[in-house]
Amino acid sequence: AFLTAVVEALGRRSAAAICGSSQGACATFNAALECPKLALALAVCHPVGHAPERYSAIKQPTLLIFDTEDAGHPVSVGRQMRRHLPNNRYFEFTRSRDGDWEVAHMGPELLQLLGANWAQIRGKRHAGRSDPKLPELTRVAGGYRAWSERHGGEWPALGAEEGTQLPVAEDLNQ
């Protein structure tokens, strides 16, 4: 229900893809089970999943990414998900050897998943397109500056290495 409300607040009836990590991945799977037409594809990393045998009912193409060294998100559960999800791309990586593999590869792998399944998903419910019958309930909250600067104990700014200063919004207009 929550993810449906988020998609509708964006003025859409469905999304091209819903992505989740950890408990957000569990919410992604639950949304796919409760509202199968909400998203055309799913992508999860470090997923938590309850009763993966239920996932055989999920028909959307699904990207699964697991870190073999992450005890909080066991690969054994990921392998069960892979077995039960009928249309999946599954990846395991080892952070100590591969670094932040999911950061570098989740986006491109999701695009490949969508491309590989394009014939199946093309034209379905106009996913991701705005629906003129629904109001858009979003508003800009901070813009580029809010995402380009670090505030307190946050992770580095979006797309930046630790200690890198991104340009301020005024610099982008020059």
Side-chain angles (χ1 to χ4, degrees), residues 40-173:
L40 297 182
L42 310 174
V44 296
C45 65
H46 314 295
V48 171
H50 306 292
E53 62 277 2
R54 298 179 313 137
Y55 299 167
S56 60
I58 296 174
K59 303 303 180 212
Q60 292 95 329
T62 304
L63 174 64
L64 300 161
I65 300 175
F66 278 85
D67 177 0
T68 60
E69 296 175 331
D70 184 352
H73 306 96
V75 173
S76 61
V77 174
R79 293 175 183 156
Q80 288 179 43
M81 290 178 184
R82 177 177 58 185
R83 188 170 60 248
H84 292 291
L85 282 160
N87 185 359
N88 71 79
R89 287 178 67 92
Y90 181 85
F91 294 93
E92 291 181 7
F93 72 100
T94 304
R95 185 167 310 282
S96 63
R97 183 186 68 226
D98 304 315
D100 293 336
W101 189 93
E102 78 284 23
V103 173
H105 293 90
M106 188 168 181
E109 290 298 335
L110 176 57
L111 289 176
Q112 285 185 13
L113 178 82
L114 290 168
N117 290 277
W118 189 247
Q120 170 192 340
I121 61 179
R122 184 179 67 190
K124 285 192 176 178
R125 294 180 49 98
H126 304 288
R129 296 182 190 164
S130 63
D131 185 333
K133 296 177 186 172
L134 292 174
E136 183 176 329
L137 303 175
T138 59
R139 63 179 201 188
V140 177
Y144 176 80
R145 182 168 288 138
W147 294 98
S148 66
E149 298 172 0
R150 194 169 178 177
H151 307 280
E154 298 173 338
W155 290 92
L158 183 64
E161 297 291 325
E162 186 73 37
T164 301
Q165 182 63 36
L166 292 177
V168 293
E170 290 81 23
D171 296 339
L172 297 175
N173 295 326

